[in-house]
């Protein structure tokens, strides 16, 4: 199972050798069912995974920083509080 993610921003990823198929969708569904919000997701293939993962980490950091600038509750299906 997942660790507690209710109310948290979550980034999901998978690595694959041929085709990730529905893996990201399944991860998203699990996170959302547990009350988390997926803010970024990616799949990485084989040997290119290291460079792609580094780029994904930068993207996640930027998205989380942008969320930190939003009022409490914004983007979580709750009205933003001023």
């Amino acid at each position: 199972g997942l660790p507690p993610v209710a109310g948290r921003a979550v980034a999901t990823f998978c690595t694959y050798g041929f085709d990730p198929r529905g893996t990201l969708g399944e991860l998203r569904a699990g996170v959302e069912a547990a009350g988390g919000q997926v803010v970024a997701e990616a799949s990485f293939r084989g040997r290119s995974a290291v460079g792609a993962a580094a780029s994904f980490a930068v993207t996640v950091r930027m998205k989380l920083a942008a969320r930190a600038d939003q009022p409490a509750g914004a983007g979580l299906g709750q009205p933003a509080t001023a």
Side-chain angles (χ1 to χ4, degrees):
L2 294 172
V5 296
R8 294 183 180 222
V10 178
T12 62
F13 70 93
C14 69
T15 59
Y16 66 97
F18 179 69
D19 184 0
R21 297 192 178 125
T23 301
L24 291 175
E26 290 179 28
L27 289 170
R28 175 181 285 276
V31 167
E32 290 174 348
Q37 181 185 24
V38 176
V39 296
E41 55 191 358
S43 58
F44 310 117
R45 183 173 183 183
R47 293 185 180 165
S48 66
V50 174
S55 176
F56 179 63
V58 170
T59 298
V60 171
R61 286 179 47 182
M62 290 187 325
K63 289 187 177 205
L64 293 176
R67 288 175 55 86
D69 292 337
Q70 294 180 4
L76 291 176
Q78 304 166 0
T81 56

